């Protein structure tokens, strides 16, 4: 009865009562994070904005293969880190199963391949994958990768197994992103040569002077592993949750944005949510395009709600 009176009063006053933009089943949005700082950064921005809109984002830390399987099983709603071509086999598997749909390409200008600190590259004359094996002793015949199961590691292992570039007797050292970069820092300080997976966006590109190696097109794609990053949703989610889906379609990033977010997390020790809140307060103009056509969960205008939540 009270609701009926409220609706009648709203009609008499010429007001439109607030209606939920998405059904209750869409309030919780499950995001996957493979433990990469760039995806931690973008997930943190998304989660901060979604919370301000009245949603309940849940970020689950899952390795790349497990995260894709979770999406395939309907246990993950959205993934902001579909790097192509490095993750093409996983995309092919999802596409064959009809398990995911692309919402948007969320980043341009990314790259992902092997790199060597520039000083060492210059001293050894290393500029291409094919230059590595002649200096196997200097490199310890090791390539430093990221976490076990990552597609990039799998590509490197295929290269070693095939003895491409004469690297058949080399070893892939698998570790997490931060452990790998700590090894890079130690090698630079000691003057030891090191070859490792590098990518942009990432503050490693400002913390270290790097030479990206040519010649790895068959494994990482052309243009030094030039990559496109896409936002995926499990099939059917966008139709079920059109308002949240519109938000994710709007949510595109830049290399500079992600570099700054990762710098705050890696170099300043800020948590992802703290870094996201600080960046958003310093860059309020980003909110308009991201929230165009997006409402709060209960149907109110999205932009003023987020501005209020951030104290802008």
């Amino acid at each position: 009865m009270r609701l009926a009176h409220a609706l009648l009063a709203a009609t008499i006053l010429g007001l439109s009562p607030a209606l939920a933009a998405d059904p209750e089943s869409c309030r919780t949005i499950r995001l996957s994070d493979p433990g990469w700082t760039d995806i931690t950064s973008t997930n943190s921005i998304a989660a901060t904005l979604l919370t301000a809109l009245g949603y309940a984002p849940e970020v689950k830390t899952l390795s790349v293969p497990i995260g894709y399987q979770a999406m395939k099983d309907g246990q993950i709603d959205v993934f902001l880190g579909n790097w192509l071509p490095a993750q093409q086999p996983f995309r092919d598997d999802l596409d064959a199963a009809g398990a995911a749909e692309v919402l948007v390409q969320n980043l341009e200008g990314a790259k992902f391949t092997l790199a060597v600190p520039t000083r060492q590259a210059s001293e050894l004359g290393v500029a291409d994958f094919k230059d590595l094996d002649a200096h196997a002793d200097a490199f310890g015949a090791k390539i430093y990768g990221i976490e076990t199961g990552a597609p990039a590691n799998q590509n490197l292992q295929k290269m070693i197994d095939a003895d491409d570039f004469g690297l058949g007797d080399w070893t892939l050292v698998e570790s997490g992103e931060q452990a790998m970069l700590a090894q890079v820092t130690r090698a630079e300080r000691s003057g030891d040569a090191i070859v490792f997976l590098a990518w942009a966006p990432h503050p490693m590109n400002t913390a270290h002077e790097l030479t990206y190696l040519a010649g790895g097109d068959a494994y990482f794609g052309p243009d030094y592993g030039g990559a496109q990053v896409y936002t995926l949703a499990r099939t059917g989610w966008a139709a079920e949750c059109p308002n949240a889906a519109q938000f994710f379609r709007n949510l595109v990033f830049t290399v500079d944005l992600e570099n700054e977010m990762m710098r705050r997390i890696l170099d300043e020790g800020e948590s992802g949510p703290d870094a996201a809140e600080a960046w958003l307060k310093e860059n309020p103009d980003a909110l308009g395009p991201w929230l165009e056509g997006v409402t709060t969960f209960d149907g109110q205008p999205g932009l003023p709600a987020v501005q209020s939540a951030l104290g802008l």
Side-chain angles (χ1 to χ4, degrees), residues 38 40 57 68 108 140 146 172 195 227 249 268 282:
D38 59 326
T40 298
Y68 277 114
E108 295 181 355
I146 47 178
L172 173 64
V195 58
R249 290 190 178 102
E268 304 298 328
E282 293 173 8

Side-chain angles (χ1 to χ4, degrees), residues 21-291:
D22 282 333
E24 184 62 33
S25 60
C26 295
R27 185 185 294 272
T28 298
I29 299 174
R30 302 165 297 176
L31 299 153
S32 178
D33 187 337
W36 301 346
T37 312
D38 59 326
I39 307 305
T40 298
S41 298
T42 55
N43 274 343
S44 294
I45 287 176
T48 298
L49 297 175
L50 287 168
T51 299
L53 291 169
Y55 289 87
E58 292 182 357
V59 179
K60 300 177 183 292
T61 302
L62 304 169
S63 69
V64 172
I66 293 175
Y68 277 114
Q69 186 61 46
M71 177 166 279
K72 191 175 179 180
D73 293 341
Q75 298 171 358
I76 289 294
D77 300 311
V78 178
F79 180 43
L80 297 176
N82 175 223
W83 279 66
L84 295 183
Q87 296 174 8
Q88 190 64 55
F90 291 101
R91 262 289 291 279
D92 291 344
D93 182 59
L94 287 176
D95 292 345
E101 54 189 296
V102 176
L103 296 184
V104 71
Q105 179 179 339
N106 69 50
L107 184 67
E108 295 181 355
K111 57 183 176 181
F112 193 19
T113 191
L114 292 181
V116 174
T118 295
R119 186 178 121 189
Q120 298 166 0
S122 178
E123 290 175 351
L124 296 172
V126 174
D128 192 289
F129 279 51
K130 64 181 174 56
D131 300 329
L132 290 170
D133 194 48
H135 305 283
D137 289 344
F139 287 106
K142 293 178 180 178
I143 299 173
Y144 287 83
I146 47 178
E147 74 279 355
T148 300
N153 285 5
Q154 295 176 5
N155 283 343
L156 289 172
Q157 192 59 57
K158 288 178 183 176
M159 179 179 71
I160 291 170
D161 293 343
D163 193 24
D164 277 355
F165 312 105
L167 299 175
D169 55 351
W170 283 50
T171 299
L172 173 64
V173 180
E174 297 186 300
S175 62
E177 168 195 329
Q178 295 187 39
M180 180 191 72
L181 292 175
Q183 185 66 31
V184 173
T185 298
R186 286 192 292 270
E188 285 195 306
R189 288 174 179 168
S190 64
D192 295 331
I194 185 168
V195 58
F196 62 99
L197 276 170
W199 61 91
H202 197 284
M204 72 171 82
N205 296 283
T206 54
H208 306 278
E209 189 175 353
L210 302 179
T211 294
Y212 284 80
L213 302 186
D217 294 16
Y219 294 95
F220 293 96
D223 299 323
Y224 298 91
Q228 303 82 44
V229 185
Y230 294 89
T231 299
L232 301 183
R234 63 174 174 81
T235 297
W237 180 83
E240 297 166 14
C241 309
N243 185 63
Q246 183 61 51
F247 165 75
F248 280 107
R249 290 190 178 102
N250 292 349
L251 194 64
V252 296
F253 308 102
T254 66
V255 169
D256 287 345
L257 180 164
E258 294 193 26
N259 279 341
E260 174 59 17
M261 279 289 296
M262 287 186 276
R263 184 194 66 78
R264 291 175 181 270
I265 294 170
L266 292 173
D267 299 341
E268 304 298 328
E270 296 181 19
S271 68
D274 286 348
E277 183 173 346
W279 190 92
L280 289 165
K281 287 181 176 179
E282 293 173 8
N283 298 273
D285 291 346
L287 296 176
W290 284 345
L291 297 170

